[in-house]
Amino acid sequence: MKKYNTAVFDLDGTLLNTIDDLRDSVNYMLRLNGFPERTTGEVLTFVGNGIAKLVELSLPEKFSTEEFNKYLSQFRKHYSQNSKNKTCPYEGINDILAYLKGRGVKISVVSNKVDDQTKLLCKDYFGGNVDFAVGQKPGVEKKPAPDGVLDALKNISGKKEEAVYIGDSEVDYKTARNSGLDFIGVSWGYRGREFLENLGAKTIIDAPEELKEYFI
């Protein structure tokens, strides 16, 4: 079995369970404009491609650019103030991050959340156990483009051949491939084991502690 010394994690659905706060902000925006609300199950299928795509898929129909930007702004404002109401790390995540950090593994997070929010959530929930976090920002194309991963590896002096990407979705699977990294899928996230198997993921784990066997 190949061993790695660098871990690149997805955030939502991999390290943090953020779906309830995302759903609540989506439904706040929808209620504000007289639209029908979305279920948790629906929102689960909408996440993974950034906030703009989440809002677009949550709306009941297409709207003009001006109207869409208004809805997006409403969501962003609400979520920026309510992103930690119900969000929490998945069971065992902080333990495995501390274990890997103690072993000298380089740890980064690459998210399609906006960069400031990504960095803040990682700082608040994981402290010094994450060496570098990057989200959407000018000059960094969102996943599945490799920009965020390459930026992260550069900032933590990581090498592709020694790194693995860990995520829960089709976006993460494609991001790993586009970045030239191996991929480990996590079954506890927003898509599940069967979905990852159907994608073609060769390595899937069911609990964070299983990561121990993949690192130096």
Side-chain angles (χ1 to χ4, degrees), residues 117-150:
Q117 197 162 55
T118 298
K119 286 178 166 58
L120 181 61
L121 287 170
C122 286
K123 179 182 177 182
D124 287 349
Y125 287 105
F126 312 127
N129 286 330
V130 169
D131 299 308
F132 181 77
V134 60
Q136 276 193 266
K137 62 180 180 179
V140 176
E141 188 175 346
K142 71 178 183 178
K143 300 183 298 183
D147 299 34
V149 172
L150 299 179

Side-chain angles (χ1 to χ4, degrees), residues 97-116:
L97 290 179
Y99 171 85
L100 294 176
K101 184 72 172 176
R103 300 277 295 183
V105 174
K106 301 171 183 177
I107 299 173
S108 63
V109 171
V110 178
S111 175
N112 275 342
K113 287 186 182 297
V114 294
D115 189 60
D116 288 349

Side-chain angles (χ1 to χ4, degrees), residues 16-216:
L16 289 180
N17 186 351
T18 58
I19 197 65
D20 287 343
D21 285 330
L22 289 169
R23 179 205 61 217
D24 289 351
S25 289
V26 161
N27 285 335
Y28 167 83
M29 177 273 295
L30 293 172
R31 285 196 306 272
L32 200 61
N33 295 283
F35 301 137
E37 295 185 25
R38 295 292 190 171
T39 65
T40 302
E42 287 175 315
V43 176
L44 276 169
T45 67
F46 300 157
V47 296
N49 287 284
I51 285 174
K53 194 66 176 178
L54 169 60
V55 170
E56 177 189 337
L57 293 172
S58 299
L59 291 167
E61 57 188 271
K62 296 289 186 181
F63 294 91
S64 69
T65 299
E66 183 179 358
E67 289 174 312
F68 177 78
N69 287 337
K70 180 185 75 171
Y71 304 143
L72 180 59
S73 178
Q74 291 168 346
F75 173 89
R76 281 178 167 159
K77 182 177 180 181
H78 186 270
Y79 189 64
S80 69
Q81 298 169 353
N82 296 276
S83 63
K84 296 189 291 182
N85 292 349
K86 301 171 183 175
T87 288
C88 61
Y90 287 100
E91 185 176 354
I93 285 297
N94 278 319
D95 289 340
I96 193 62
L97 290 179
Y99 171 85
L100 294 176
K101 184 72 172 176
R103 300 277 295 183
V105 174
K106 301 171 183 177
I107 299 173
S108 63
V109 171
V110 178
S111 175
N112 275 342
K113 287 186 182 297
V114 294
D115 189 60
D116 288 349
Q117 197 162 55
T118 298
K119 286 178 166 58
L120 181 61
L121 287 170
C122 286
K123 179 182 177 182
D124 287 349
Y125 287 105
F126 312 127
N129 286 330
V130 169
D131 299 308
F132 181 77
V134 60
Q136 276 193 266
K137 62 180 180 179
V140 176
E141 188 175 346
K142 71 178 183 178
K143 300 183 298 183
D147 299 34
V149 172
L150 299 179
D151 187 38
L153 291 178
K154 179 181 177 181
N155 276 275
I156 62 175
S157 300
K159 298 178 180 179
K160 284 186 181 183
E161 60 272 18
E162 298 173 346
V164 63
Y165 189 98
I166 303 157
D168 72 301
S169 73
E170 70 280 7
V171 174
D172 298 317
Y173 180 72
K174 292 175 183 177
T175 300
R177 294 183 65 180
N178 292 341
S179 305
L181 270 62
D182 292 339
F183 176 74
I184 295 176
V186 304
S187 67
W188 60 80
Y190 297 162
R191 297 293 188 265
R193 172 176 277 276
E194 183 178 358
F195 183 92
L196 292 169
E197 288 174 344
N198 291 336
L199 278 179
K202 293 181 174 60
T203 304
I204 304 172
I205 60 173
D206 299 312
E209 66 179 12
E210 293 179 40
L211 284 172
K212 290 180 180 179
E213 62 184 291
Y214 294 96
F215 289 90
I216 57 173

